[in-house]
Amino acid sequence: MMPRTRPARRTTARRSACAAALLLAVTALPASTAVAADTASHVEGQLPSGATYMMDVPAAWNGTVLLFSHGYTQAGSPNPAQNGPDATTKALLLEQGYALIGSSYATTGWAVTDAVPDQLATLAAFNDRFGAARRTIAWGRSYGGLVTTAIAERHADRIDGSLSMCGLVHGGVANWNNTLDPVFAIKTLLAPDSDVPLTGLKDQAAATGAADAMTAVVDSAQTTAEGRARIALAAALHNIPVWNQTTQARPAADDWDAQQANQYDAVKGLLKIAAFSRRQEAEVRAGGNMSWNTGVDYAKLLGRSSVRKEVKELYKKAGLSLKADLAALDRAPRVSADPDAVAWMSRTSSFTGELTKPQFSIHTIGDALVPVQTESALRRAVTAAGSASLLRQANVDNAGHCTFSPAEQVAALHTLEDRISTGKWHGTDAESLNSRAAAADSTTPARYVAYRPTPYLRPYDLAHPADGQ
């Protein structure tokens, strides 16, 4: 048992000490015993599904529990339970009195059918051990944003609100359609004679081989002006931003070469991470290929892309005909989906847009893995479902996937809590969010910015009956 902690100043040293102390807290309370007011607890356990869970409850619990859904875990990788996005943010929230809980999910990969019930079971286990919370907020990042949104739509009675951070809020079908498009362009324009399959990969070894082959194609293409222009076109079909890693220099608005060089790195990352390996795992779950490009007008898609001007300028510089390459994409044999696989992905991983509790969704504008345009797809669904008043979105001016500061995350959480408490949204503009972030933790950045993403290029949701193959 830990002694009662004194009110603490938010310093890095104090947060580290708090986090370290909590990790040493006791874990053996009986399920029927509530935690005493002067006790901080760290609890780990296992659910009947085999998933593990983690709970941290501070000495002066404020009555709010935060149910954290973690991101995608590659099949075969370690899969520990997680109850927060990072150690610093967790320490800040524990100092403020929040209880933090989360599970590992019973399986890795595209695990939504395990993740949602495991998260709800973790919440039930928390209530059994510590008593019902005054307020429950579901939150998550990356793939965990998809899990969080699924909970928000399908189990709203279990929560009071939700926060998605850099989430796959466009849903599974839209995700895999938009992942197919850039790889289709690469194969068609840069390796038209290749026999590398884009879907229907037999196993992870085949996925690795396909990724390696396409990466070699892209590496070779990057050495010529023509190849670089075509890589930029492929990137544009995924809305890959021109500044997408914090290690990159932010290119000038008309520095087309620097922009393309940044996208080249991201395209290779897409090939290595999602386009083959993660696709293969998801296809096994879905029972077949869940994406298609039959009927897609790639000229129209490019016309809506956030980086279309860069593509046009690079084609002009290379002396290539963009019109001819778009025509080549139109003529190329298309990829058809397995209807049963689409139905599975739609049923488990796509959204109706029907919210009954408030949701706040934040994104970095320089995200190449889950582009900020996914937020446009979410708004499309929520607006069509008549739930727009329950959704607010905000964007952080930073490169990379989920590269939020602790201050930015806590500010988003406080903004959602304010909506839950008052019944009205207050302070969702960039200036107000930055003010909240500075108040939450002045030692880490506050970079919210007024920004409106362009449309998502391949939306699919259950609020639009016309969506389909």
Side-chain angles (χ1 to χ4, degrees):
M1 181 175 293
M2 293 177 59
R4 182 187 296 272
T5 57
R6 295 188 300 274
R9 297 167 58 191
R10 295 189 181 98
T11 64
T12 301
R14 177 66 185 86
R15 288 197 301 268
S16 298
C18 177
L22 284 162
L23 288 173
L24 296 173
V26 297
T27 65
L29 290 174
S32 60
T33 302
V35 173
D38 61 349
T39 302
S41 295
H42 174 80
V43 177
E44 297 184 13
Q46 189 171 42
L47 299 171
S49 68
T52 58
Y53 62 78
M54 178 187 296
M55 305 175 183
D56 283 302
V57 182
W61 179 31
N62 64 15
T64 296
V65 60
L66 306 181
L67 175 64
F68 181 74
S69 296
H70 68 75
Y72 186 98
T73 301
Q74 189 74 20
S77 298
N79 186 33
Q82 299 177 44
N83 64 351
D86 58 82
T88 302
T89 302
K90 286 175 59 173
L92 277 169
L93 293 172
L94 290 168
E95 284 182 5
Q96 294 177 14
Y98 295 94
L100 310 179
I101 66 174
S103 76
S104 63
Y105 318 153
T107 58
T108 54
W110 194 269
V112 64
T113 53
D114 294 313
V116 171
D118 285 340
Q119 289 293 85
L120 297 176
T122 298
L123 179 59
F126 174 86
N127 291 339
D128 287 345
R129 181 178 289 267
F130 296 103
R134 177 178 58 84
R135 175 179 292 164
T136 300
I137 293 175
W139 67 320
R141 56 193 271 168
S142 190
Y143 182 78
L146 183 146
V147 175
T148 294
T149 303
I151 291 171
E153 281 199 358
R154 301 165 192 170
H155 302 280
D157 60 316
R158 304 289 298 275
I159 64 173
D160 297 288
S162 57
L163 170 62
S164 171
M165 302 181 293
C166 56
L168 282 75
V169 292
H170 51 326
V173 174
N175 176 76
W176 292 112
N177 275 343
N178 197 226
T179 302
L180 173 65
D181 292 329
V183 187
F184 176 78
I186 288 169
K187 180 178 178 180
T188 300
L189 299 177
L190 297 176
D193 298 324
S194 171
D195 61 357
V196 170
L198 303 184
T199 64
L201 297 146
K202 180 181 178 181
D203 50 31
Q204 280 294 301
T208 299
D212 289 346
M214 286 293 101
T215 299
V217 166
V218 168
D219 284 339
S220 177
Q222 186 67 12
T223 64
T224 69
E226 295 83 359
R228 291 190 291 273
R230 286 168 170 152
I231 292 169
L233 172 57
L237 298 177
H238 193 66
N239 267 324
I240 290 177
V242 299
W243 181 51
N244 55 71
Q245 295 181 35
T246 56
T247 54
Q248 295 172 341
R250 192 170 194 166
D254 59 353
D255 190 344
W256 316 117
D257 291 331
Q259 292 175 18
Q260 191 278 335
N262 287 351
Q263 289 174 319
Y264 162 60
D265 288 338
V267 167
K268 292 208 299 180
L270 181 70
L271 294 172
K272 179 180 179 181
I273 296 171
F276 294 103
S277 177
R278 292 187 181 180
R279 170 181 288 280
Q280 191 275 334
E281 193 275 340
E283 285 187 357
V284 169
R285 287 181 180 269
N289 171 37
M290 59 280 168
S291 57
W292 67 91
N293 65 356
T294 49
V296 171
D297 183 337
Y298 282 107
K300 185 176 180 180
L301 256 60
L302 178 62
R304 296 202 304 263
S305 175
S306 59
V307 291
R308 59 188 178 276
K309 182 165 179 57
E310 173 216 356
V311 174
K312 292 177 181 178
E313 293 295 333
L314 288 171
Y315 265 79
K316 186 187 303 182
K317 182 176 180 179
L320 275 179
S321 170
L322 179 56
K323 183 177 180 180
D325 272 3
L326 290 170
L329 293 179
D330 283 342
R331 292 191 305 269
R334 297 303 180 92
V335 177
S336 298
D338 179 335
D340 290 340
V342 175
W344 183 91
M345 189 63 68
S346 179
R347 183 175 65 253
T348 64
S349 309
S350 294
F351 300 121
T352 66
E354 297 173 0
L355 296 173
T356 57
K357 303 287 177 63
Q359 180 167 20
F360 197 38
S361 188
I362 64 173
H363 224 108
T364 48
I365 66 174
D367 190 339
L369 184 62
V370 185
V372 67
Q373 284 75 20
T374 59
E375 300 294 337
S376 298
L378 174 63
R379 176 158 292 282
R380 171 184 184 260
V382 168
T383 300
S387 304
S389 64
L390 290 169
L391 175 70
R392 289 295 183 272
Q393 296 165 297
N395 299 288
V396 168
D397 188 20
N398 200 26
H401 180 54
C402 299
T403 53
F404 305 108
S405 71
E408 290 158 352
Q409 294 173 108
V410 175
L413 176 64
H414 287 172
T415 300
L416 173 63
E417 281 196 290
D418 183 57
R419 170 61 178 80
I420 294 169
S421 297
T422 67
K424 296 182 179 180
W425 290 106
H426 301 286
T428 58
D429 60 285
E431 182 178 0
S432 298
L433 286 164
N434 287 330
S435 178
R436 282 187 189 269
D441 179 28
S442 61
T443 68
T444 60
R447 299 159 297 190
Y448 282 98
V449 63
Y451 182 84
R452 188 176 182 85
T454 55
Y456 190 73
L457 298 179
R458 295 283 304 278
Y460 177 100
D461 60 64
L462 304 180
H464 292 84
D467 286 348
Q469 295 166 246

